[in-house]
Amino acid sequence: AGLRQQPFSFTPLSLCAGADEASSLFHACGNRLETPFALVRFSPGGAISSFVDRRTGRELCAGLPLNTFLSAEDVPAAWDGWDVDADCMEKLRPDGVLQSRMVAADGPVEYRVRCTWTVCGGSVVRQDIIFHADSPLVEFDTELEWHGKHRLLKAAFDTTVQAPAARQEIQFGCIQRPVTRNDSREQAMFEVCNHRYTDLSEPSRGISILNDCKYGISTEGGTLALTLAKGGTRPDPRGDAGTYTFRYGILPHAGGFSAAVARAGMRFDRSPLSLPGTLALPAFLWTDRPNIVVETVKPCEDSDHAVIARLYECEGTRT
């Protein structure tokens, strides 16, 4: 716990026999959980009905429990396997019937709640909700057994954060899009793309939703709803039926949007590689400003003793 792997480096780790006698940093009682960063209450359906950030003392859950599954009939006018039509957003309703819930881990590193839901009739979500001892990140490690046809499935986070726009990561930066629906232009943004994060921030606080492979999201008011699955049947009548594994998470943060949010999204998406061996090398390339990101490193094709590095500025700040 607490190890931060530096980019472009190797850190040797060894497994030693013995027991960790450190006590748990979490305190659970019934449907309540106290973590180093939050006071949490779970709903009977397994979602998070209250989330108080201990750093600010403010409630983040607005009404609908955090991580509520929403589903809707999904019958686009055209391009069944790709399109999401605006009327689908009007049909979204809470879904998910909790089948089982248990505590899978409770120790000095994490508190893990293992849940199973049925959604969209015959589909199954198996999910570990992970609270970390050294980070305010709440992670949702998910396995989806998907059989939905003409159904759309989302995970919704109805928050108390009030902002006129949300930031979504795009290639080499981010873009701001409104969370209101005041005119036809804004109404057309009912479903937008994001790469590794979407962030909703006030000047003094905010919340980010991170993911490792789910790139469609809807943002309206204080609600962030990540799209998890779609059930189109054309051109392939089998649709996307199958079993999928993916991760997403929420990261409450003090202060507004900053490079720390972008870097959290990168860390969430790119886990360190684990390889056998004993090589130890410090980082061979880094920047001294957190908003300058080394995006690509590759060998130079016309020189044997050079590499090419591509960098970009991720925050929108002159640097």
Side-chain angles (χ1 to χ4, degrees):
L3 175 67
R4 286 292 186 200
Q5 177 71 27
Q6 294 299 312
F8 310 113
S9 69
F10 291 88
T11 301
L13 301 174
S14 58
L15 183 64
C16 301
D20 188 347
E21 298 180 356
S23 59
S24 172
L25 299 178
F26 304 89
H27 304 281
C29 180
N31 67 343
R32 297 177 182 271
L33 172 67
E34 181 178 341
T35 82
F37 294 92
L39 303 176
V40 180
R41 186 170 67 246
F42 293 95
S43 72
I48 298 172
S49 58
S50 176
F51 190 102
V52 177
D53 190 332
R54 296 182 65 177
R55 295 167 298 176
T56 64
R58 299 177 68 177
E59 173 68 67
L60 276 172
C61 182
L64 193 69
L66 304 179
N67 198 42
T68 292
F69 296 112
L70 303 178
S71 71
E73 181 186 45
D74 176 37
V75 187
W79 309 110
D80 187 45
W82 291 271
D83 282 4
V84 177
D85 286 357
D87 67 332
C88 186
M89 300 295 107
E90 304 299 325
K91 302 174 186 176
L92 286 169
R93 297 291 183 273
D95 197 354
V97 178
L98 183 65
Q99 301 296 322
S100 64
R101 183 178 181 274
M102 61 171 288
V103 176
D106 178 9
V109 175
E110 68 178 28
Y111 188 90
R112 184 180 293 247
V113 182
R114 184 161 295 163
C115 301
T116 301
W117 293 270
T118 54
V119 296
C120 299
S123 299
V124 179
V125 175
R126 303 178 185 93
Q127 187 174 82
D128 283 2
I129 306 174
I130 307 165
F131 300 87
H132 297 274
D134 62 348
S135 169
L137 173 71
V138 181
E139 185 176 341
F140 303 88
D141 192 351
T142 310
E143 179 183 89
L144 171 62
E145 186 181 320
W146 179 245
H147 304 289
K149 292 185 182 296
H150 294 291
R151 303 293 298 179
L152 188 78
L153 179 66
K154 285 178 170 284
F157 295 85
D158 183 13
T159 77
T160 58
V161 178
Q162 298 182 12
R167 283 179 173 85
Q168 281 93 17
E169 187 187 40
I170 60 173
Q171 189 177 30
F172 307 131
C174 63
I175 188 172
Q176 291 192 59
R177 297 185 176 100
V179 298
T180 50
R181 300 291 185 265
N182 292 327
D183 53 37
S184 59
R185 175 179 169 273
E186 293 181 356
Q187 291 163 12
M189 300 183 192
F190 60 88
E191 179 85 355
V192 300
C193 64
N194 76 154
H195 285 188
R196 293 170 292 197
Y197 69 82
T198 285
D199 181 75
L200 189 65
S201 286
E202 301 171 3
S204 62
R205 64 164 186 163
I207 187 169
S208 304
I209 182 166
L210 315 178
N211 79 92
D212 69 348
C213 66
K214 297 298 179 183
Y215 302 139
I217 194 168
S218 56
T219 57
E220 184 171 2
T223 301
L224 309 173
L226 188 68
T227 301
L228 304 181
K230 177 176 165 60
T233 60
R234 285 190 305 162
D236 189 343
R238 297 170 298 178
D240 288 333
T243 300
Y244 304 91
T245 57
F246 51 88
R247 296 161 49 246
Y248 58 93
I250 56 171
L251 180 65
H253 55 84
F257 174 80
S258 69
V261 170
R263 288 189 172 272
M266 296 170 201
R267 285 195 299 269
F268 192 86
D269 181 63
R270 299 178 181 177
S271 299
L273 296 176
S274 176
L275 302 170
T278 58
L279 180 64
L281 286 176
F284 73 87
L285 180 62
W286 66 93
T287 67
D288 62 355
R289 296 291 185 271
N291 59 316
I292 304 300
V293 177
V294 180
E295 194 273 338
T296 300
V297 177
K298 60 182 181 179
C300 183
E301 294 182 358
D302 55 5
S303 173
D304 293 334
H305 303 286
V307 296
I308 297 171
R310 177 184 290 126
L311 299 86
Y312 73 93
E313 196 283 320
C314 69
E315 191 178 62
T317 302
R318 181 177 177 87
T319 305

